[in-house]
């Protein structure tokens, strides 16, 4: 539903990519003292680290010329993928040992001293602390740990989003009212559930389609009411 191409200096591309992802994530609000603090469902520092790592550690050789880093936002996760696999003896097994191996040593040094344009510090420290930080930050927010997927010619990081529990938008209220009163019309259901007339009608139609309710009269009848189907009753 959204597509952003990030161009410019390395710092600008990283900041723009984080902003592009952030606008497609949910935000949560917490009260701290007398202030309300808004935060992303995935910590911004984790997004920045994953994207910065992709920029710094990607393969820039001729074989990968023209290939881009991709950041894909799904309903349940964010995936950051860069061209080029692991380097310098790094493997899936020793990825979390806190040591850093980079094919682009000059780039790492540059990115450790040049600040990001949004004032969020430098993109990289080059000391191997990035992955442990990402794991700790995701845990602290009650999220699943990042999934790191090294491949022969690419590397992918999966950041899982927070799970949203299904919300009862009124269907359960209607079923409860009919269980208690037997048969009710649209206005009566609105009075007993606190829903509006239009909300009752849309939910009643959905419940009829699901086979949970049945009408007592044709749609043109003023005496039309609703009752639970035999299956639900």
């Amino acid at each position: 539903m959204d597509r952003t191409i990030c161009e410019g200096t390395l710092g600008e591309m990283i900041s723009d990519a984080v902003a592009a992802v952030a606008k497609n994530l949910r935000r949560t609000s917490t009260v701290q003292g007398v202030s309300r603090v808004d935060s992303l469902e995935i910590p911004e520092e984790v997004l920045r680290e994953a994207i910065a790592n992709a920029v710094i550690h990607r393969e820039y050789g001729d074989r990968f010329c023209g290939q881009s880093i991709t950041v894909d936002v799904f309903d349940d996760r964010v995936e950051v993928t860069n061209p080029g696999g692991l380097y310098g003896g790094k493997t899936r097994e020793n990825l979390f040992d806190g040591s850093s191996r980079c094919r682009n040593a000059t780039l790492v040094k540059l990115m450790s001293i040049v600040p990001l344009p949004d004032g969020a510090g430098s993109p990289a420290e080059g000391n191997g602390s990035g992955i442990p930080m990402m794991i700790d930050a995701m845990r602290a927010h009650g999220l699943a740990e990042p999934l790191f997927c090294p491949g022969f010619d690419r590397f992918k990081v999966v950041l899982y989003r927070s799970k949203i529990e299904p919300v009862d938008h009124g269907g359960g209220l209607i079923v409860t009212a009919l269980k208690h009163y037997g048969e009710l019309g649209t206005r009566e259901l609105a009075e007993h559930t606190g829903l509006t007339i239009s909300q009752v009608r849309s939910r009643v139609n959905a419940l009829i389609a699901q086979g949970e309710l049945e009408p007592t009269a044709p749609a043109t009848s003023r005496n039309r009411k609703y009752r639970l189907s035999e299956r639900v009753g």
Side-chain angles (χ1 to χ4, degrees):
M1 295 185 297
D2 187 18
R3 178 176 173 83
T4 301
I5 298 177
C6 301
E7 298 177 325
T9 66
L10 292 177
E12 289 170 341
M13 286 190 290
I14 293 171
S15 294
D16 289 349
V18 172
V21 176
K23 71 178 182 179
N24 287 286
L25 296 182
R26 295 179 289 266
R27 290 185 176 271
T28 57
S29 297
T30 56
V31 177
Q32 297 182 4
V34 295
S35 303
R36 188 183 73 176
V37 178
D38 293 332
S39 59
L40 287 176
E41 58 178 312
I42 294 178
E44 189 168 322
E45 63 270 24
V46 174
L47 289 174
R48 185 179 296 104
E49 182 70 23
I51 294 171
N53 280 348
V55 172
I56 293 169
H57 294 284
R58 67 155 291 170
E59 174 60 71
Y60 286 97
D62 292 342
R63 177 188 169 194
F64 297 88
C65 183
Q67 295 188 27
S68 299
I69 294 166
T70 60
V71 185
D72 299 305
V73 181
F74 299 93
D75 289 342
D76 62 340
R77 68 196 187 281
V78 174
E79 295 184 355
V80 182
T81 307
N82 63 267
L86 294 174
Y87 175 83
K90 296 299 291 186
T91 64
R92 187 191 300 270
E93 288 69 30
N94 64 19
L95 194 60
F96 312 100
D97 63 3
S99 64
S100 179
R101 300 286 187 275
C102 183
R103 59 171 59 87
N104 305 308
T106 301
L107 181 57
V108 171
K109 183 175 180 180
L110 176 66
M111 297 290 274
S112 68
I113 60 177
V114 177
L116 289 166
D118 58 8
S122 298
E125 296 180 1
N127 58 8
S129 62
I131 287 180
M133 180 278 291
M134 294 170 65
I135 295 173
D136 290 343
M138 294 291 277
R139 286 175 176 170
H141 281 72
L143 300 170
E145 292 184 8
L147 179 63
F148 300 93
C149 308
F152 175 72
D153 59 357
R154 60 103 179 100
F155 187 86
K156 179 169 67 175
V157 179
V158 181
L159 304 173
Y160 291 102
R161 303 176 62 178
S162 56
K163 294 182 179 180
I164 302 298
E165 298 296 329
V167 178
D168 184 349
H169 292 290
L173 297 175
I174 290 174
V175 170
T176 299
L178 292 177
K179 282 182 178 179
H180 184 74
Y181 294 102
E183 295 182 0
L184 294 171
T186 300
R187 293 190 179 278
E188 293 170 320
L189 283 170
E191 293 174 359
H192 289 297
T193 61
L195 300 172
T196 66
I197 295 294
S198 61
Q199 288 173 335
V200 168
R201 285 173 177 160
S202 64
R203 286 153 180 78
V204 161
N205 290 335
L207 291 169
I208 291 175
Q210 295 168 13
E212 297 189 31
L213 301 189
E214 56 187 24
T216 62
T220 56
S221 173
R222 293 184 177 180
N223 297 321
R224 181 180 173 98
K225 293 189 176 184
Y226 305 95
R227 62 190 174 208
L228 298 177
S229 65
E230 292 184 1
R231 175 172 65 85
V232 177

